[in-house]
Amino acid sequence: AGEILGELKRKKRLTPGDIKRGMLAFLAGILTKIPMRISEVLALKYGETFFDAGSGNTRKVAISLPAEMVKNNEPRRALFGPELVRLYDIYITVIRPHLAPASNPYLFPSGPSAVRNDDHISHSLASMMHREIGVRMTAHQFRHVVGYIFLVAKPGCYDTVRRLLGHRSLKTTLRFYAFILEDEAHELLDETIDDLAAKRNLRRRRRAA
């Protein structure tokens, strides 16, 4: 997402294809850092569910979805980190003005007052991903991939992933991820045993010296 938006920021004139690509790149950036459902992303609306307040070190860019707008009926809140804020700034200055007038309150607008269609934008995202990296990934598949990446880096943190993905029950998270991490668990055990053996051998060499 950063590479695409950075490239478009440097262009003097954007084509309709560039504008669509930039919008989808920003969407991918959000889904990578905040793995929401596509319906939740498209519900982001300035002053209601999406907020950009303050300036400098006090600036906060955040989402806040009430329970009735979330599939599991639990409110969803998240702050944009520094990199996502950077992508957002490029999006709102370079891309979004071409999508709709400023009066449209949606983060992903369509025309004067509407929002993008979730099926259409998810299909477009999958097509763009295939062009960019050779793998088709819908908005929903982003959620699974992000959860997997997090668990590989932080083994066993299933409840954190549950919260990130907005699952009501930990059983749902375990059903999706426990079995696909079996190889990683064995690799981690293998590395742990090798590390312990290496430390033991090092202590033996020191005693012998």
Side-chain angles (χ1 to χ4, degrees), residues 27-130:
L27 173 61
I30 291 179
L31 294 174
T32 302
K33 296 295 184 73
I34 308 174
M36 296 186 286
R37 299 173 180 87
I38 190 62
S39 59
E40 296 167 0
V41 178
L42 296 182
L44 296 178
K45 195 174 183 180
Y46 284 97
E48 294 184 17
T49 53
F50 185 80
F51 304 90
D52 180 1
S55 60
N57 292 332
T58 64
R59 184 185 181 196
K60 301 289 185 184
V61 180
I63 66 168
S64 181
L65 291 164
E68 61 269 21
M69 299 181 72
V70 181
K71 184 178 179 180
N72 65 356
N73 292 316
E74 293 185 5
R76 187 176 183 90
R77 298 181 180 88
L79 282 172
F80 277 27
E83 175 61 12
L84 196 50
V85 169
R86 186 183 74 83
L87 299 185
Y88 165 69
D89 286 340
I90 297 175
Y91 172 72
I92 60 171
T93 56
V94 177
I95 304 299
R96 193 182 184 281
H98 296 281
L99 298 174
S103 57
N104 187 317
Y106 290 102
L107 186 61
F108 290 94
S110 178
S113 59
V115 67
R116 298 273 158 176
N117 176 273
D118 55 355
D119 288 336
H120 183 265
I121 199 170
S122 185
H123 176 77
S124 297
L125 177 64
S127 297
M128 187 200 74
M129 292 296 295
H130 186 262

Side-chain angles (χ1 to χ4, degrees), residues 21 56 74 76 92 166 172 195-196 204-205:
R21 183 169 174 245
E74 293 185 5
R76 187 176 183 90
I92 60 171
T172 302
D195 287 344
L196 289 172
R204 284 179 172 175
R205 287 196 297 269

